[in-house]
Amino acid sequence: MSKTNHFHVLSLLIVIVLGCNKKPKQTDFQNNGDQNTTVDLIVALPKNIQAPKGMVWIPGGEFYQGAVPSDTMAMNHEKPRHKVAVDGFFMDIHEVTNKQFSEFVRKTGYVTVAERELEWVEMKKQLPPGAEKPHDSILQPGSLVFKKTKSSVPNLYDYSQWWQWKIGANWKHPNGPGSSIKGKENHPVVQIAYEDALAYCKWVGRRLPTEAEWEYAARGGRDKSIFFWGNDVGQLNAHANTWEGEFPVKNTEEDGFELRAPVMSYPSNDFGLYDMAGNVWEWTNDWYNIDYYKGLAENGQTVNPKGANTAYNPSNPFLQEKIIKGGSFLCSASYCASYRISARMATSTDSGAEHLGFRTVVGLENHKK
């Protein structure tokens, strides 16, 4: 597991300059779940077990993962739709908060990826051959923070226009030096890399959800819905913290917030889960592989899939990326519309940003009464 935050530097300072075009050999996308024609799932919560504090039981069941046919905003990597079955599990009702993560750090002394010294020797292992070392003034602990632009952005594919590398940005200072989480204990913790999320999970005795578990839980039994509340995008502002107005120039704050919102600021879905759309992206445990959905669809119904065996993203061939779900306060119809249930994005495992957090799950096999 990498101990640097090199993806941030790589994205803004190296890849853009080098214009890397080299593609490695395509990796496999075998499914780690079981293909079954007869499904025997854990559905109902046993009577002698209670949900852990702050969690709800997600009853097991079958669903179609991926974009629904009526979703005109769906991206190719959300297709094809495929049948999946998952066992029941417990899930946090909201993202892990600053208060919860602070307790973890206080009791363990854990130091997040964004707070650690950058190591060029480790960093260059995932860079194209011949990549030059950035100046020492850049190779300092920090992370990515969002910055609004002063004018319209014609090319929304160039995310460097609204992301800024900020030395000193981390979970305690999510917008860089001078920012603070004081008074925001009930906000989702951000600037969390995959390694950080795993460390918290280990401490609390839980794990990250698989992509299938996350999407099944977000759907809340609405198998044909684009959003967790239904198909009416006109209800977006009442159900999620997203970007209103022209992205990334002006947020009109019609939903009540410009940046992150306290958890549970909007209605829950039908499973009692909050913030399953907007606010902050959330880590899952699955590798991002652009061919994975295709492989699942060809195999028929899959039970408890655990994601691809290896990562494969031709857009970022040198990075090891996991899938994040749910969208964030930066999602808008003009940019990504990732407040849709099937929306997904690939993020390097050593990446943190001010719009990325996580929540935990636990199955009956790991549950402690």
Side-chain angles (χ1 to χ4, degrees), residues 252-369:
T252 59
E253 302 179 45
E254 295 174 33
D255 56 25
F257 299 92
E258 181 177 24
L259 301 178
R260 297 170 297 278
V263 297
M264 302 174 67
S265 293
Y266 301 89
S268 70
N269 74 353
D270 291 343
F271 281 161
L273 299 168
Y274 295 83
D275 297 317
M276 297 301 279
N279 213 18
V280 299
W281 285 95
E282 300 178 17
W283 286 107
T284 74
N285 201 51
D286 291 16
W287 290 113
Y288 179 84
N289 189 309
I290 198 169
D291 294 319
Y292 180 59
Y293 276 16
K294 179 181 178 181
L296 286 188
E298 292 174 349
N299 288 332
Q301 178 170 272
T302 306
V303 182
N304 295 318
K306 297 178 177 62
N309 289 333
T310 50
Y312 174 60
N313 183 359
S315 297
N316 290 312
F318 293 93
L319 301 180
Q320 294 295 298
E321 296 175 312
K322 293 283 185 173
I323 295 166
I324 59 176
K325 295 284 289 184
S328 76
F329 63 88
L330 295 178
C331 289
S332 69
S334 65
Y335 178 47
C336 65
S338 290
Y339 35 75
R340 298 170 297 103
I341 297 171
S342 63
R344 58 208 296 259
M345 192 166 78
T347 296
S348 178
T349 54
D350 58 0
S351 293
E354 70 162 284
H355 69 339
L356 177 56
F358 70 107
R359 75 177 73 206
T360 71
V361 301
V362 62
L364 290 182
E365 70 278 6
N366 301 118
H367 175 65
K368 296 179 180 180
K369 297 182 181 179

Side-chain angles (χ1 to χ4, degrees), residues 100-116:
Q100 292 171 312
F101 200 79
S102 294
E103 182 183 8
F104 159 61
V105 170
R106 179 175 61 83
K107 291 185 176 180
T108 65
Y110 182 79
V111 178
T112 63
V113 170
E115 298 172 277
R116 303 174 197 169

Side-chain angles (χ1 to χ4, degrees), residues 156-232:
L156 290 176
Y157 291 100
D158 181 6
Y159 53 81
S160 67
Q161 297 171 98
W162 57 84
W163 283 111
Q164 180 181 19
W165 171 258
K166 184 74 73 172
I167 295 172
N170 54 56
W171 74 275
K172 291 179 290 187
H173 308 288
N175 302 101
S179 65
S180 172
I181 59 173
K182 186 177 181 179
K184 298 179 180 179
E185 290 79 9
N186 204 34
H187 284 225
V189 66
V190 293
Q191 299 293 9
I192 297 297
Y194 177 74
E195 181 178 342
D196 305 328
L198 288 186
Y200 178 91
C201 286
K202 182 178 180 180
W203 176 72
V204 81
R206 300 173 186 173
R207 61 178 173 82
L208 290 174
T210 65
E211 182 187 18
E213 287 174 333
W214 197 103
E215 188 164 325
Y216 174 74
R219 193 160 287 285
R222 295 176 179 260
D223 205 41
K224 298 181 180 180
S225 294
I226 298 173
F227 315 105
F228 76 75
W229 59 88
N231 290 316
D232 184 5

Side-chain angles (χ1 to χ4, degrees), residues 117-133:
E117 293 297 325
L118 297 176
E119 301 175 7
W120 173 245
V121 173
E122 294 296 323
M123 179 178 174
K124 67 180 181 180
K125 291 179 181 179
Q126 293 193 45
L127 298 180
E132 295 184 6
K133 180 181 178 181

